Amino acid sequence: MPGSESRYGAYLETRERDGLRRGLTAIEARDARTIRIGADTYLNFAGNDYLALRFHPALINRAEAWAEEHGVGSGASRLVTGNLDLFAGIEAKVAALKQKPAALIMASGFQANASVLQALFDRNVLGAEPLVFSDRLNHASIHFGCAASGAREIRYRHCDAAHLGVLLSQYQGDQRPKFILTESVFSMDGDIAPLAEIGRLAREHDAMLIVDDAHATGIMGEGGCGLSGEANIVIGTFSKALGGFGAYVACSDILRDYLINRCTGLIYSTALPPPVLGAIDAALDLILSLDAERAHVASLAERFRAGARALGFDTGASTTQIVPLIAGTNHAALSLSKRLRDAGYFVTAIRPPTVPVGTARLRFAFTAAQTASDVDGLLDALDDRALPRSATA
Ligand SMILES: Cc1ncc(COP(=O)(O)O)c(C=O)c1O
């Protein structure tokens, strides 16, 4: 065994000691509300399937139909022979949803951010190193895409448009191309970027605004269109409220063509398979009519926030279907997660580097499959004064 292997082992031991070691828990899921681990059933408050579409018959039927008709794989990258005619219809639906001239389907949200940003920030194409202003709590895939391009991120304080304005002003008159990067709904905080303000700053400073709408698409905005209205480029995923897998970029025709020519994640990766495209296509049809589900999810999250705050928990600045309970230390977050697990609730402890040091938390996500009494049971389990009881009884 090469000597370097022992170094990886030592790294894992350090992670263990610091309460930072991660592991994969094998689960079984047969519906959108619960998961099973071995013989035990838990209510799932940890997933991103906000509209509970993973098990929706419309998605399953179209996935099955498209697998039957078009096969289970696409056979090549989109630039070789993988560009099935199915893509055009889906891209038209995404462009309409996002009110942009064009859209491009990509393999996953991570891959889209990693490779689209790398392509956009190419200094040879731009003629200069770009100035990339980025919310410091942006998703790892956004930071990854910036790093891959070699562009230095100029990070502004989380959701702080005033700070962004100050940083932009420092570069007033600088002719290098400017970009602003933000999520709309932040994945670990459940708060919303001040997009109107950020959009105004982008126009004022001639910056291109790129919004990752992963956690808003399907679940927020008119007909589930998300919150990215002001953006020049919207990146998002079908893996959360749309219940499936895959990602999109919505943008101008020129940018779409540029990405087809320059985006490594599109060029060097096999196209999404037909059953996955079928599920995406059905979800895009369905979300337009799911206002009642969106309202239900918002009311569950609000019920939980109010209850958790009354119990003395810190729910940060969340206003959406994602609600953190900020525990502070890694061990505090892990023990709270275990306490809930013992009471029948599955909620993951989120620790650094996913969140800043000292802000380890439980991340609760509310979905259309849950009920108000599920939330009340969860709040009972969080209350030290109450005895744990079975969640699914
Ligand atoms: C803001 C954000 N962008 C991108 C991604 C990646 O999306 P995907 O899971 O489709 O790779 C995620 C979730 O993991 C996310 O939270």
Side-chain angles (χ1 to χ4, degrees), residues 50-328:
Y50 306 124
L51 291 171
L53 294 188
R54 264 184 313 158
F55 288 91
H56 196 288
L59 275 71
I60 293 172
N61 291 342
R62 206 166 303 173
E64 274 176 8
W66 287 22
E68 291 269 343
E69 284 170 41
H70 307 282
V72 294
S74 60
S77 101
R78 292 188 62 183
L79 280 153
V80 183
T81 58
N83 193 38
L84 304 170
D85 56 0
L86 306 169
F87 280 101
I90 295 176
E91 287 175 344
K93 286 179 190 177
V94 173
L97 185 74
K98 295 293 173 186
Q99 298 193 350
K100 294 281 174 262
L104 188 64
I105 302 300
M106 304 271 303
S108 76
F110 190 100
Q111 194 195 60
N113 278 329
S115 59
V116 168
L117 299 179
Q118 181 194 27
L120 291 174
F121 301 155
D122 186 328
R123 74 188 69 180
N124 295 320
V125 174
L126 294 171
E129 184 182 339
L131 298 169
V132 178
F133 299 86
S134 175
D135 188 296
R136 65 182 286 269
L137 293 192
N138 276 336
H139 190 257
S141 55
I142 297 178
H143 297 312
F144 187 95
C146 294
S149 75
R152 188 174 62 86
E153 285 177 78
I154 303 164
R155 296 191 187 190
Y156 59 92
R157 286 194 289 267
H158 176 54
C159 282
D160 189 340
H163 187 221
L164 170 62
V166 169
L167 293 176
L168 282 162
S169 305
Q170 287 171 5
Y171 291 88
Q172 191 109 40
D174 192 318
Q175 294 309 308
R176 285 176 286 180
K178 296 181 181 127
F179 296 85
I180 302 173
L181 285 177
T182 184
E183 295 177 35
S184 52
V185 171
F186 280 82
S187 60
M188 295 299 144
D189 290 85
D191 52 355
I192 299 178
L195 289 165
E197 268 285 274
I198 293 176
R200 190 181 56 72
L201 287 168
R203 284 193 303 279
E204 244 173 64
H205 292 267
D206 192 27
M208 185 174 272
L209 175 57
I210 306 174
V211 172
D212 182 333
D213 217 16
H215 292 277
T217 302
I219 186 74
M220 310 210 61
E222 178 110 29
C225 70
L227 296 176
S228 56
E230 290 273 335
N232 303 103
I233 301 179
V234 190
I235 300 179
T237 171
F238 302 112
S239 64
K240 306 198 190 295
L242 281 93
F245 187 71
Y248 65 83
V249 184
C251 55
S252 67
D253 289 304
I254 288 187
L255 281 171
R256 181 177 185 275
D257 275 359
Y258 173 69
L259 291 173
I260 290 169
N261 282 275
R262 191 67 190 79
C263 180
T264 50
L266 182 92
I267 299 170
Y268 300 111
S269 190
T270 299
L272 284 180
V276 171
L277 294 175
I280 293 173
D281 192 60
L284 286 168
D285 291 344
L286 202 58
I287 56 166
L288 304 172
S289 63
L290 297 183
D291 283 345
E293 285 76 1
R294 284 185 275 273
H296 174 65
V297 173
S299 83
L300 294 180
E302 189 45 49
R303 188 181 189 96
F304 178 74
R305 264 190 301 271
R309 282 177 188 154
L311 290 173
F313 286 101
D314 176 4
T315 59
S318 159
T319 54
T320 66
Q321 77 282 0
I322 300 165
V323 186
L325 286 196
I326 300 167

